[in-house]
Amino acid sequence: MTIDEAVQRVSIHLHLSKEMEHEILAEIRAHLEDAVAAAIRKGEDEQQAIEKTITKFGIEEAAPEL
């Protein structure tokens, strides 16, 4: 899964105004990208860092709850 796919999974469960949805998704994306960048700086490979970050943030579990 990519960060784009993770954000898309969250977006399909949001039922907000376009402006609010955009702000929330931008914030989620920023947090995911920051966490991935930190993991890469620690020596993880990019895909592994993305997968661990998505798991850590609970995207798979949390998205349907939104």
Side-chain angles (χ1 to χ4, degrees):
M1 181 181 308
T2 66
I3 289 176
D4 287 337
E5 291 169 339
V7 171
Q8 178 62 28
R9 287 189 184 198
V10 171
S11 75
I12 62 174
H13 297 286
L14 296 178
H15 303 288
L16 305 168
S17 70
K18 288 293 181 190
E19 182 178 305
M20 181 62 73
E21 184 175 315
H22 177 74
E23 288 179 30
I24 289 171
L25 294 175
E27 186 74 19
I28 290 170
R29 177 183 299 281
H31 285 294
L32 291 171
E33 288 173 347
D34 289 346
V36 169
I40 291 170
R41 283 192 301 273
K42 291 179 182 177
E44 289 188 36
D45 115 326
E46 183 178 9
Q47 189 57 44
Q48 182 182 31
I50 291 169
E51 290 171 11
K52 282 185 177 181
T53 297
I54 289 170
T55 298
K56 178 182 173 187
F57 277 71
I59 297 294
E60 292 291 329
E61 296 80 20
E65 298 297 321
L66 298 171

